[in-house]
Amino acid sequence: MTLADVAALAGVSKATASRAMNQPQLVAPETRRRVEEAATTLGFSVNRAARALAKGSTGLVSIVVPTLENTFFTPIIQGAQRAAEAGDLHATVAVLPGETEAERERLVRLADQVDGFVLASPRSSGTFLRTLSERKPLVTVDRQVDGLPSVIADTPKALSGLVSGLIDAGHTRIAYVGGPEGSWMDARRVHAIEAAAGDSCDVVVLGPVPPVFRSGVALARELVATRATAVIVYASAIALGLLFALEREGVAVPGDLTIASADDLAVGLLEGLGVTALHVDADRVGETAMATLLTMLSTGSAPAPLHQRVAVPLHWGSP
């Protein structure tokens, strides 16, 4: 069925039928009713993409993540997609770190095909992200760039409290296993941990490493050699790898070593294993970022406040 068939059944011109579907406020109520009934009878639905193009937009937004290997990004994508659907937009997912010239060129080309971005780009330069924002509106996730709106899970603040709790529990030497090299958020976590430790506790930084299971396995012996009595890891996948390898080394957790994770995304596997974890609501981060982008697209202005933070409490366990 075509729009012309709907117009013929409703007894109106094709142009009138189009207005009734796309700009109903411009059509008399009785005419609009006849067009709607004709469309229902014929099983005709409006092409969302065509309607968006008529308004000078694509009806598409892009969620960009640097990798799918890090489980942190999965709920971010889910939350952002849900918010996009609620805003009557279609969300696409692109896996682009944005670090190389070729990757940056792909992002620029993508900007010509979408209305805006929710962008997780921990290692792209701030200069490039500001340049990209001049082409299409964007909201950064877990990354703050001057002048650009962002939504951040406030893990640095939560880790400060965690370190204080570890010190109160008697720990005087803490290790931190960092995340990907050059990660904006990882640098903030290191600073927060070292500042909270002060002169009360030694901090040993290991890594950087990819936030995956194999990293924890590979680092286990190096961690034991530091003589730390507690370790904070960048991601729960690393914690799982450590648990696996430390058991083979005869290290009891939490008896010999306390393990804490900066996220609880492997919650089903970590729970009950004596691991303390921060509860990162990454789904909410993605949803908030997309809702912010939709507001920008409808109003044409940046949100206030420009930088939004999602609180991160401890999920279970104790120092």
Side-chain angles (χ1 to χ4, degrees):
M1 291 298 133
T2 67
L3 183 61
D5 296 321
V6 174
L9 183 60
V12 299
S13 69
K14 184 177 177 181
T16 298
S18 177
R19 280 195 298 274
M21 293 222 169
N22 294 296
Q23 296 175 294
Q25 71 278 9
L26 301 180
V27 180
E30 175 59 25
T31 301
R32 185 170 64 244
R33 182 189 62 78
R34 293 206 315 271
V35 172
E36 290 173 349
E37 288 179 352
T40 300
T41 299
L42 296 174
F44 178 85
S45 62
V46 178
N47 186 308
R48 182 186 298 179
R51 182 174 62 188
L53 287 172
K55 296 178 180 178
S57 62
T58 67
L60 301 175
V61 289
S62 184
I63 306 163
V64 181
V65 296
T67 178
L68 294 178
E69 193 173 36
N70 185 351
T71 56
F72 175 71
F73 297 116
T74 303
I76 286 177
I77 292 170
Q78 292 172 341
Q81 284 182 320
R82 185 172 61 252
E85 291 171 1
D88 200 31
L89 292 177
H90 178 66
T92 65
V93 178
V95 182
L96 285 170
E99 298 172 39
T100 67
E101 184 63 29
E103 290 165 352
R104 289 190 289 271
E105 288 178 359
R106 288 174 63 190
L107 280 170
V108 170
R109 290 199 301 271
L110 182 59
D112 295 332
Q113 303 170 43
V114 299
D115 296 332
F117 294 98
V118 166
L119 189 70
S121 188
R123 292 184 285 183
S124 292
S125 73
T127 299
F128 169 72
L129 294 179
R130 281 188 287 269
T131 299
L132 186 64
S133 74
E134 293 172 358
R135 301 180 72 94
K136 291 294 169 66
L138 66 82
V139 179
T140 61
V141 172
D142 236 32
R143 165 78 183 277
Q144 188 170 306
V145 178
D146 291 342
L148 300 182
S150 66
V151 179
I152 294 172
D154 202 356
T155 49
K157 181 178 180 180
L159 289 175
S160 294
L162 175 59
V163 170
S164 297
L166 290 170
I167 292 172
D168 290 343
H171 295 279
T172 59
R173 191 171 181 81
I174 297 173
Y176 172 68
V177 177
E181 184 174 6
S183 164
W184 183 90
M185 180 54 75
D186 187 54
R188 272 70 193 169
R189 290 179 180 181
V190 171
H191 176 76
I193 290 169
E194 291 180 337
D199 297 328
S200 302
C201 181
D202 293 331
V203 176
V204 180
V205 179
L206 304 177
V209 297
V212 294
F213 180 90
R214 64 178 180 273
S215 296
V217 175
L219 276 176
R221 289 186 178 179
E222 184 179 355
L223 172 61
V224 172
T226 67
R227 294 179 289 107
T229 57
V231 59
I232 301 171
V233 299
Y234 181 87
S236 52
I238 299 174
L240 288 173
L242 279 176
L243 284 165
F244 175 79
L246 290 173
E247 183 178 10
R248 294 190 301 177
E249 296 291 324
V251 178
V253 177
D256 299 324
L257 180 70
T258 294
I259 296 181
S261 171
D263 72 60
D264 62 346
L265 297 175
V267 58
L269 298 174
L270 286 177
E271 195 163 12
L273 296 177
V275 175
T276 295
L278 305 183
H279 176 52
V280 178
D281 192 348
D283 185 282
R284 182 183 168 197
V285 170
E287 184 176 24
T288 303
M290 183 59 74
T292 300
L293 176 62
L294 297 183
T295 298
M296 294 170 65
L297 292 173
S298 63
T299 65
S301 60
L306 192 63
H307 305 301
Q308 302 176 68
R309 294 181 179 270
V310 175
V312 179
L314 276 173
H315 189 53
W316 72 77
S318 60

